[in-house]
Each structure stands twice: as C-alpha cells, then as structure tokens.
Amino acid sequence: MCDSKPLLGGHNRLPTIRHFPHRIVKKSNWILKPATLRKCVVAVIVFSIALIIIYSKQTRSPYLTRFMQRSNRPEPNIRCGVLNGPRIIQNHDHKTDARLRSYPKVLVFVETMYSKLGRDIAELLVHTRIKYKIEVAGKSLPVLTNLDKGRYGVIVFENFNRYLQIDNWNRELLDKYCREYSVGIIGFITPEEETFVGSQLKGFPLFIHTNLKLKDAALNPASQILRLTRAGETAWGELPGNDWTVFQANHSTYETLEWANRNDNFQNNDSGAKLPLPTVIQDHGLFDNIQRVIFGSGLKFWLHRLLFLDSLSYLSHGQLSLSLDRKFLVDIDDIFVGEVGTRLRQEDVKALINTQARIANMVPGFKFNLGFSGKYFHHGNNEEDKGDDLILENIDKFMWFSHMWNHQQPHLYDNLTSLMEDMVLNKNFAKDKGIPIDSGYSIAPHHSGVYPVHELLYTAWKKVWNIRVTSTEEYPHLRPARLRRGFIHRNIMVLPRQTCGLFTHTMLIDRYPGGREKLDESIQGGELFQTIVYNPINIFMTHMSNYGNDRLGLYTFESVIKFIQCWTNIKLSSAPPLQLAENYFKLYPGEADPVWGNPCDDPRHQKIWSRNKSCDSLPKFLVIGPQKTGTTALYTFLSLHPAIASNLPSPTTFEEIQFFNAHNYLRGLDWYMDFFPSDSNSSAHYYFEKSATYFDGELVPKRVHALLPHAKLITILISPARRAYSWYQHTKSHGDIIANNYSFHQVITASDTAPKPLRDLRNRCLNPGKYAQHLERWLTYFTPQSLHIIDGEELKSNPVDVMNELQKFLKITPFFNYTEHLRFDPKKGFFCQVVNGDHTKCLGRSKGRQYPPMEEKSLKYLQRYYLSHNTALVKLYKKNGIRTIPNWLKDDLSDKTDS
C-alpha cells in the first residue's frame, strides 16, 4: 500500500524523493520517503473511515449515524399527475331512487371459517365498522328476510364459483332475493391449479383467463363505482401473485373497473402495443337484473381493498358508504427527552416547521402536537440545546400537550400526592417557558395508567391539568390494530391512537425494519395508508427521535398524505384533540362505556398495570342468578367451604357487588378488585361472587367474558312461574307501592300501555324467567363446559348432593363434607348451617317466608306464557348434554294443554 509511485498522473502528481532529497526520514535501518508517508497517512484515514462506517452499522452509535446521515436524508418521492387536478366524484353518495328494503349489513359466504381471503374480508369490515355475517358456503342458504325487509344489503362470495355452482333451487331463491330487494353481489375468482384460457363462466356471457402474472394497474375514470377511490394514476410495477384472472365479455352489461398489463411480451395488438386486460369487472345487471362486481384477484393488492369498499357502497345504494372526511393528528412524544446525539438540532427544528407548513397546505389546520417532559430541557449537547431553544422560540407554531415531568410511568406511583407533584413540576415548567397549558390533552409515558386504568392517574390529571381527553393504543389490546376503540372513564375521553411504524429506535430509514422498501410499502397502499383510509379519526404516535437524524418522521407523513391525495377522494383535515374526541363519540356513542379486559391475559398490560394488583384476587367463578331461585342459600353453603372465599360485602347491596350489570361497572376495575383483597394469610384459593341480577343483564355476559374469560358460571333454575310469584311477594314485603296496589295477576297481565312503574314490575317478574333466551346469550361467550345449572328444587330438598356435584364441577380441593355442616330445620322448612355441634344457624326471616298460594288463573297464564321458553330450555339442555330434565320443567310442560 505505501510505495513511492505517484498517486496522480501528469503535472498533478505528488512530489517524490527525487524532488526533495533532503527530506528523507531516517529511522533505524530503513528510510521512509515523504510522498510515501503522505500515501500512508491517506490510506490510514480511508481505512479508518471504513472502520467507522462498519462499526457504526454494528453498534448503531447515535453520534456516528447522525454524522453520516445528515447529508443523506430521504425526500418524499410520490409523483402524482392528478395531485393538484380536479376531484371528480361520480355520484358522490351512491344514493339512488330505489326503494330500499334491506338492512345495511353484508352477508359473506366463505370457503371455511379459516380461509385466508374470507378472513381478509371480515377484517376489513371490522376495521371499517361495517356490519356483517359470515356463512360457510354449503348446500342451503341462511334466512334472507325478516318480515318485509331483507337482512342484507350486499352479498359477497369469497369464491365466485360457489355462487355459480349453487343448486337450481337455492340459486333461484338467492337471485329472486337480489332482484326484489335491489341487492348486489361481489365475487372473487379464486386461484386454481388448472389454467383456463377463454373459459366461460357458467350461465354468463363472460370469459376468463387464469393464472396470469400482471403489472401496471389503472382504473376506469368513467366508472360510477369509484367514490372513495380516485382514478387517473397507474400503480406501476408487478402486481402481487402470479394467479390473476382477467375477463373477456361479449355483452354490454359488463364494464371494466380496473385494467392491468401482462408481465411479459405477450398479448400485443397489430401495432405492437400491449392491450390492457380487465382485472375487475362490473355487471350492470342488463343480462339478468342483478348487479355484480367481480374481482380477478383477492385483497392482497391494496387497490382492491379500496375498490371493494366502493363496490359495497355502490351495490348497497349508499347504505354502506364510508364518509370521505378524515381527521388527522400527529403527536410527537418525548420533546426534550432523548440521549445526547439523537436530539433535535436547529436545522431539524427548521425542517419540522417547514414540513409542517407544506402539510398544512394539504391538510387544513394541521400542526404537529408536541408532548413535553420539562425535566430534560437542555440535556443535550450544545447544538441540541440550541434546538431546544429554537423550539421554544416557535411555541405558537405548534400544539402542545403534557407528558410527565420526569417521564416516569404513572402506574408506578402508589401515592396521589407524589403523582400530582410530578405533574405540577411539568406545569410550572410550561408556565415559565410560555407553553400553553389549556389543551385538555395529555399522554402518559408508554400509555401507563390509561389502560389498564390506574385510578390515581385519572384523578391527578383532573386536579392538575383538567384533562378531558387522552389516547392509547392499548384498548382493548395493542394488536390487532383494527380492533382499537375509544371509551370514556371519569369524564376523560380516551381515543384510539394509531402506530405508523415509527418508534424511539426508528431514527434512520436504512434501519427501518425491512428497510426503506418496507416503509414505502406501508406508505404506498400498505398499513399506514390503510389506517388513514379506514379510520375516520387518526391520532398517530411518534417520537422526537423520528424527526432528527435523517428526519424519518417528516418523510413518512408527507409521503403518505401525498399518496392519499393521489389515489383517494378522502378529505383530510386536522383539529385539536378535544375537538377530535367530541367528533369521535358523536360518531360512535356506543363506545362511551368501556369494556374492562383482564390485564393478566396480556403481557403488555401486566407490565403497565398497577403493581399493587394481583391476578390471583380475581374471582374464579360467579353465581349469576336469577333472583328468587335460591342464590342466597347457595352463597351461604359455598362460604362454608374452607377453600372458597366470597367478596367483601357491599355497604349498599350486602353480599352482592352488582358490578357487571349496573352503574358500578363504570367505577372501574380497581373499584371491583377492592372487594377481593389479596391476602397471603388466607387459606382460600377460590374467590367467587354472587349477584343474582347478572343472569338476565343484556350486557353482562360480554362484560364478564372480557374480564373473566376463564370463569365458571353457576345458575339456579326453578319454575319460572313460581319464580315470578316469589319476586312479586318479595317486592310487596319490602313495601313496593305498585305491588301493594295491584294483585299479582294484574301485574303479570299488564299491557304495554299501562303506567311505567307497573310495566317495570311486570318485566322484573316475567323477563328473568325466559331462561333459554338468557342462557343462549351467556353461551355466546362461554362454552357449555363453563356453565353449571342447578335445579333449585333439588338445592332446597337435597343440598348435600347438589354441593358435592358442584365441588366436582369446580374441581375444588380439598373435598368438603357438607353432611357434617348442613341439617334440615323443620321450623324453617329448609336446610341450615350446623354450628356449635348441635345447633343450626339459618338465613334471615325474609328467607323461607310462606306466601299465600298463587291463584290458579295466574299459574295457568304463566304456564302458557312460558311454554315456548320452557320448550326451548329443554332443547338447550339436550343440545348441551344435560340428560336430566328437572321435575318442575316437566310439570310446567305437562299442563300445556290445560285451559
């Protein structure tokens, strides 16, 4: 490497030893010429730079990567010819003059419940909140009508061949339904091993060519279907897969929606030009009066997802249209937080402001929303501290929200005072620097305390910052993102927050997981693009580190906004978080009430759950009722067991918490768990609770399953007629005005025009007795193996055997001998607890009270009223493997023919 040859030729060559003989350097027994020395120095420098590059790639040194990347920042490369052109939306809302008699719901026929395209379709419908029903394609059709209305507005076939091959009887029924109710069909031609060339679709003047590789897709700008999707551009490059189907038609009913070219030199016309091939085709219904859209490939191609949504809108006559308005906000967390060498410098802050201005031209009202932790202000090097200063010189150019002062996770605070002190420090910093403090929005570091809820955080937020809205990625879980929803707790609105692939460690585009190609895929039709398309309100989480270095965050958002404007008619705008939250819950008022999940089932949630909570203290089984069937007696018997512990009593509802069916649910998980204190000294291994009103609560099964998905359920059933009478007498004995002013027969026969208090008492008497209806609701969420049904009459007459069977069901050890602890009390007429060896302790005076016999006319009326419900209960017993039918049920059904 170090020789005496010149490095450059001609007159520019470096001096050699001949020109400067006096500068020979002597050392020991060898001589190094000056030119050679220079070459060595240059070589060492080059070699050192190479080592630095290699080292930086291996160690990810922030100093070195920052040094090298500043001169190589990515720039948005979206080139769109129609970006500034007119937006032509054909028939903006797809509404027609058709007299619609169908519900806005989609029926999806799939090959199996696990087929890939079927899952893709279902996930897309979930993400866009479009109602749907999945049906495995088979020999019979589901019920399509409900009285005079159609159940579905569009029918989708994952495999269009399934539609073509339906037997004549069902095909005629389906086609008749589509014609009468103006319902359209969407079908996908699925891949097959056999290749077809010019094969005719059964019964249609339409031919297909299959298993093609295609490229360069474009849309028909004249299509009436396009609404969300914008025509005018070409999606250049290979299309995913080598199993595409293209169409050839010989009837005017067909119109091309999408074209593409073969990915080879075949299919040229006489002039040598390639012919575009129809890949998605519209059937206007001129052939058989049924409108269809047929796709030559599935949803792997991102453009097909947009066309699928537009097809739903068009074929449903606008009933299944998505709004074109999208709200868009970018949070930048961790302002002032970051290691030296990774923070924003002055030039980065200027780029942030300049890019914000460009985005605001495309997204009205757009400003970056900066979240600050004041403790870390001026914690960088000299250049980065100047960047901090420049941010504060431009406070009014941004929106602002509070992080924690020291960036600590709120769930680690066990003391409200300490948590508030941290927040006050950040608030004082904001006041000192002139940062606005009235946004009403805040984010907890790592989403700690927002969900799973840490009550101290919500209290402190209210007291210090008057927070009205926050956001999180964690509700109900981080993944899948399509299921993220909002909720309101303690009058603080919690919005779903979206990820964009940028995290604290994604600072450089060449370090992006999968490289720049993967990021561009997300932007150009992939996950980030689809997130904005599917969600009406988008709050994106990013970090300060994404905006320094090579300014990856700026590249990402400017690019995706341009791509959205290029390919869609979506109207992006921005607004402060409080306005976004108000809009969100106007759109989705049903999401206001939260559904509390089990933090123990999610490792991420366990990490950000209050450390004084224990998974072991959640109940393992529930006694769900219904009322007046013997639930209090069962509660007492269970409490005798040394391995079982009930909840602490409630000051208002005694042994019942009534959490899942009442306003108590909105108090939150911490409130519920306070009834199950974790006690290491307790010998009980099984917590349970009994709330008899759970049985018929409409929302209860869903709520219970969300929090206690593995819980066992115990219900007690007696004759629904006798249960209704017992409830009436119970309310009467407690001084209920209606019960004291109306006879039982008057109550149960009250009409729907009766006074509301009377109707309410009628409903509480009658509705819980519709046993099969309520059990089916529970079995929607829980397996039959999770449910144990006790015969209430047997519990009363033979509680020892009932409790033994229950212990087996619960698999509780050690086995408890109830024979020694329960004894029949002839005065009370039921079994009581044995105490002090020979005495009994019975339930209170209100239990076992003797009521006057029910009138015969009331009993007959109720037996007729419950006939269909009792018949359904027998079927449910048999369906779920319960062989023994209770005697009371047989008796009620045996009198069904009596007048």
Side-chain angles (χ1 to χ4, degrees):
M1 180 182 297
C2 299
D3 58 25
S4 61
K5 293 181 181 179
L7 296 179
L8 298 173
H11 298 290
N12 296 322
R13 65 186 180 183
L14 293 174
T16 66
I17 190 171
R18 293 191 300 271
H19 300 98
F20 302 100
H22 62 283
R23 297 186 66 182
I24 295 176
V25 179
K26 294 184 179 181
K27 182 156 179 125
S28 298
N29 295 323
W30 56 272
I31 299 174
L32 187 62
K33 300 175 183 180
T36 304
L37 179 61
R38 291 190 182 92
K39 295 176 188 177
C40 290
V41 171
V42 171
V44 169
I45 292 173
V46 171
F47 184 67
S48 300
I49 291 173
L51 284 178
I52 289 171
I53 293 172
I54 294 171
Y55 176 77
S56 68
K57 288 184 177 293
Q58 291 178 348
T59 63
R60 299 174 182 257
S61 166
Y63 306 99
L64 297 171
T65 52
R66 193 172 180 85
F67 168 78
M68 291 181 295
Q69 292 293 333
R70 284 189 177 275
S71 61
N72 188 30
R73 296 191 182 96
E75 294 294 335
N77 58 357
I78 307 300
R79 301 291 179 262
C80 184
V82 299
L83 196 58
N84 298 314
R87 291 171 177 264
I88 302 173
I89 304 176
Q90 301 281 4
N91 194 5
H92 183 81
D93 56 8
H94 281 157
K95 290 183 178 177
T96 67
D97 295 331
R99 180 174 172 265
L100 299 180
R101 294 188 296 135
S102 60
Y103 293 103
K105 189 175 182 179
V106 182
L107 175 61
V108 183
F109 285 101
V110 298
E111 293 289 89
T112 71
M113 295 303 290
Y114 308 102
S115 50
K116 177 64 169 66
L117 179 54
R119 290 202 313 271
D120 288 345
I121 293 169
E123 288 170 4
L124 179 53
L125 296 174
V126 167
H127 210 144
T128 51
R129 293 176 169 86
I130 293 174
K131 294 181 179 179
Y132 71 97
K133 176 180 173 60
I134 294 286
E135 193 78 24
V136 176
K139 294 182 179 179
S140 60
L141 296 174
V143 177
L144 298 174
T145 58
N146 181 21
L147 299 177
D148 64 337
K149 293 203 71 172
R151 290 176 180 263
Y152 310 101
V154 176
I155 296 173
V156 177
F157 281 87
E158 175 192 7
N159 183 350
F160 192 62
N161 278 327
R162 290 289 186 179
Y163 170 69
L164 300 176
Q165 294 166 3
I166 296 178
D167 64 83
N168 292 337
W169 172 261
N170 284 303
R171 174 65 178 275
E172 191 173 318
L173 282 177
L174 183 58
D175 287 355
K176 182 181 179 182
Y177 171 78
C178 291
R179 293 188 188 101
E180 287 188 6
Y181 292 89
S182 300
V183 171
I185 293 175
I186 297 175
F188 294 87
I189 306 295
T190 55
E192 295 188 18
E193 290 185 8
E194 186 177 358
T195 297
F196 297 97
V197 178
S199 176
Q200 184 173 0
L201 291 182
K202 181 182 178 182
F204 292 99
L206 186 63
F207 302 84
I208 61 171
H209 308 261
T210 65
N211 291 336
L212 298 176
K213 292 179 68 175
L214 301 179
K215 65 178 181 179
D216 306 340
L219 302 175
N220 175 10
S223 173
Q224 291 286 316
I225 289 178
L226 300 183
R227 178 179 173 274
L228 177 68
T229 320
R230 188 178 185 188
E233 288 300 311
T234 299
W236 300 105
E238 292 186 7
L239 303 185
N242 56 4
D243 49 17
W244 282 70
T245 294
V246 298
F247 304 94
Q248 183 179 344
N250 61 0
H251 194 287
S252 59
T253 191
Y254 299 108
E255 179 183 5
T256 300
L257 178 55
E258 177 192 70
W259 295 281
N261 292 311
R262 286 196 64 159
N263 196 16
D264 53 32
N265 295 320
F266 189 71
Q267 194 68 19
N268 293 338
N269 61 14
D270 295 338
S271 66
K274 283 195 173 184
L275 297 175
L277 303 171
T279 52
V280 181
I281 199 163
Q282 177 184 1
D283 180 351
H284 286 279
L286 304 178
F287 183 68
D288 62 356
N289 293 320
I290 299 174
Q291 295 197 66
R292 304 175 183 86
V293 178
I294 309 173
F295 287 76
S297 185
L299 299 179
K300 288 188 292 184
F301 183 35
W302 62 268
L303 194 53
H304 281 191
R305 294 174 177 265
L306 300 186
L307 296 179
F308 178 73
L309 293 174
D310 276 346
S311 300
L312 289 177
S313 173
Y314 180 83
L315 294 175
S316 68
H317 308 275
Q319 286 193 104
L320 296 170
S321 291
L322 299 182
S323 168
L324 297 179
D325 293 321
R326 299 291 183 277
K327 298 295 183 183
F328 180 82
L329 179 66
V330 178
D331 287 350
I332 304 181
D333 294 356
D334 302 348
I335 290 295
F336 309 133
V337 180
E339 295 181 9
V340 176
T342 68
R343 299 156 64 99
L344 301 185
R345 304 198 305 182
Q346 285 181 309
E347 61 189 68
D348 300 320
V349 177
K350 292 175 183 177
L352 187 70
I353 294 171
N354 292 335
T355 304
Q356 176 177 278
R358 291 196 300 272
I359 293 178
N361 287 330
M362 298 182 283
V363 183
F366 180 81
K367 286 184 177 182
F368 285 111
N369 196 25
L370 310 188
F372 62 96
S373 294
K375 179 179 178 179
Y376 299 95
F377 178 71
H378 274 191
H379 271 50
N381 57 36
N382 184 54
E383 288 297 313
E384 292 167 340
D385 287 350
K386 290 179 180 178
D388 287 357
D389 292 334
L390 188 57
I391 290 176
L392 295 185
E393 290 174 20
N394 291 275
I395 285 173
D396 60 332
K397 288 186 170 62
F398 305 106
M399 290 187 288
W400 294 83
F401 66 91
S402 64
H403 252 1
M404 297 289 289
W405 163 257
N406 63 2
H407 209 252
Q408 181 166 306
Q409 296 170 307
H411 79 275
L412 299 176
Y413 289 85
D414 296 326
N415 182 278
L416 178 61
T417 302
S418 299
L419 182 56
M420 290 178 60
E421 286 174 352
D422 185 287
M423 291 183 180
V424 168
L425 288 172
N426 216 31
K427 188 172 185 179
N428 290 339
F429 169 81
K431 290 179 179 179
D432 180 59
K433 301 298 182 183
I435 296 173
I437 59 173
D438 58 354
S439 72
Y441 180 66
S442 185
I443 294 295
H446 310 111
H447 306 269
S448 156
V450 179
Y451 190 82
V453 164
H454 186 48
E455 296 294 342
L456 296 183
L457 172 63
Y458 283 73
T459 302
W461 263 347
K462 278 290 183 185
K463 289 179 176 291
V464 177
W465 286 99
N466 191 28
I467 296 303
R468 297 176 60 191
V469 59
T470 183
S471 60
T472 183
E473 303 160 23
E474 301 294 343
Y475 176 75
H477 297 283
L478 176 68
R479 298 291 182 192
R482 67 180 178 276
L483 297 182
R484 290 180 193 164
R485 297 292 184 259
F487 68 97
I488 301 175
H489 184 59
R490 306 291 189 194
N491 292 320
I492 292 179
M493 296 175 281
V494 183
L495 294 179
R497 214 176 188 206
Q498 305 300 334
T499 46
C500 54
L502 304 181
F503 304 97
T504 51
H505 59 275
T506 22
M507 298 184 294
L508 303 170
I509 198 165
D510 65 344
R511 301 287 171 79
Y512 188 88
R516 179 167 184 167
E517 182 179 350
K518 193 69 177 178
L519 176 60
D520 285 343
E521 180 184 305
S522 179
I523 292 169
Q524 298 177 28
E527 184 176 0
L528 177 56
F529 169 81
Q530 291 174 35
T531 296
I532 298 173
V533 170
Y534 301 155
N535 292 300
I537 293 174
N538 294 273
I539 299 180
F540 285 101
M541 177 196 71
T542 61
H543 301 85
M544 181 185 70
S545 55
N546 305 141
Y547 297 86
N549 303 287
D550 62 2
R551 301 173 191 157
L552 181 56
L554 300 179
Y555 168 83
T556 299
F557 288 108
E558 191 170 1
S559 296
V560 75
I561 291 167
K562 287 183 176 180
F563 195 81
I564 284 171
Q565 292 198 328
C566 182
W567 280 99
T568 77
N569 288 306
I570 282 173
K571 293 174 284 188
L572 285 171
S573 62
S574 190
L578 186 57
Q579 184 177 329
L580 297 184
E582 290 170 347
N583 290 344
Y584 185 91
F585 288 105
K586 283 180 182 177
L587 284 172
Y588 307 117
E591 290 185 17
D593 289 350
V595 177
W596 305 123
N598 192 329
C600 307
D601 288 345
D602 189 325
R604 286 178 59 89
H605 287 179
Q606 274 196 285
K607 289 179 182 178
I608 55 175
W609 196 27
S610 177
R611 57 190 175 189
N612 60 3
K613 296 293 184 295
S614 169
C615 299
D616 295 332
S617 62
L618 286 168
K620 289 184 170 59
F621 67 93
L622 303 180
V623 178
I624 60 175
Q627 291 168 301
K628 306 310 293 180
T629 59
T631 57
T632 302
L634 179 62
Y635 172 88
T636 303
F637 299 160
L638 285 167
S639 299
L640 297 177
H641 199 298
I644 296 176
S646 67
N647 53 273
L648 297 177
S650 165
T652 55
T653 51
F654 307 103
E655 80 272 7
E656 296 195 355
I657 305 177
Q658 297 185 9
F659 175 66
F660 293 102
N661 66 326
H663 69 278
N664 288 335
Y665 189 74
L666 302 183
R667 295 176 185 264
L669 182 55
D670 283 8
W671 182 89
Y672 181 61
M673 294 189 70
D674 283 343
F675 287 94
F676 303 94
S678 180
D679 185 357
S680 58
N681 297 321
S682 173
S683 59
H685 301 293
Y686 298 86
Y687 270 119
F688 84 99
E689 70 137 320
K690 183 271 289 189
S691 291
T693 51
Y694 286 170
F695 181 75
D696 59 317
E698 189 170 342
L699 297 175
V700 176
K702 177 180 179 180
R703 289 173 170 179
V704 170
H705 186 262
L707 182 61
L708 307 171
H710 311 296
K712 298 292 184 70
L713 307 173
I714 302 167
T715 186
I716 310 174
L717 303 183
I718 64 173
S719 166
R722 300 193 185 281
R723 194 220 68 85
Y725 185 63
S726 181
W727 177 253
Y728 168 80
Q729 293 291 354
H730 170 81
T731 57
K732 187 174 183 178
S733 66
H734 282 75
D736 183 83
I737 297 176
I738 300 299
N740 280 300
N741 288 337
Y742 290 88
S743 69
F744 178 61
H745 196 74
Q746 287 175 315
V747 170
I748 61 176
T749 58
S751 69
D752 288 340
T753 59
K756 186 177 183 302
L758 178 56
R759 283 184 282 123
D760 289 344
L761 180 56
R762 177 200 65 184
N763 293 339
R764 285 312 304 160
C765 285
L766 298 179
N767 287 348
K770 301 172 182 178
Y771 296 147
Q773 174 182 316
H774 302 307
L775 288 173
E776 288 286 3
R777 189 186 301 119
W778 281 97
L779 291 171
T780 301
Y781 296 93
F782 291 88
T783 65
Q785 293 73 31
S786 303
L787 176 66
H788 185 71
I789 302 176
I790 293 175
D791 179 353
E793 300 297 339
E794 188 178 358
L795 176 66
K796 184 177 180 180
S797 62
N798 188 11
V800 172
D801 286 351
V802 170
M803 297 307 296
N804 288 342
E805 285 298 316
L806 183 55
Q807 288 184 86
K808 293 177 184 178
F809 169 73
L810 295 173
K811 298 179 180 178
I812 289 180
T813 56
F815 191 83
F816 187 67
N817 187 358
Y818 277 96
T819 305
E820 301 173 359
H821 298 275
L822 295 179
R823 182 183 301 163
F824 184 78
D825 187 308
K827 292 182 179 179
K828 278 287 189 178
F830 52 79
F831 280 77
C832 300
Q833 176 186 356
V834 177
V835 294
N836 298 326
D838 196 38
H839 296 82
T840 57
K841 178 182 178 182
C842 297
L843 297 175
R845 293 181 180 179
S846 64
K847 303 301 180 182
R849 181 185 290 115
Q850 296 298 314
Y851 302 128
M854 188 192 318
E855 291 182 287
E856 187 69 17
K857 64 177 181 179
S858 296
L859 178 60
K860 296 300 182 185
Y861 174 84
L862 289 175
Q863 286 177 334
R864 290 192 300 271
Y865 179 86
Y866 285 119
L867 174 61
S868 62
H869 299 287
N870 285 337
T871 303
L873 182 62
V874 172
K875 293 180 179 178
L876 185 144
Y877 271 51
K878 293 179 179 179
K879 177 183 175 182
N880 291 286
I882 302 174
R883 297 178 181 178
T884 305
I885 305 300
N887 289 329
W888 60 260
L889 183 53
K890 294 177 183 178
D891 291 343
D892 278 2
L893 288 171
S894 67
D895 291 333
K896 61 186 178 182
T897 57
D898 294 348
S899 58

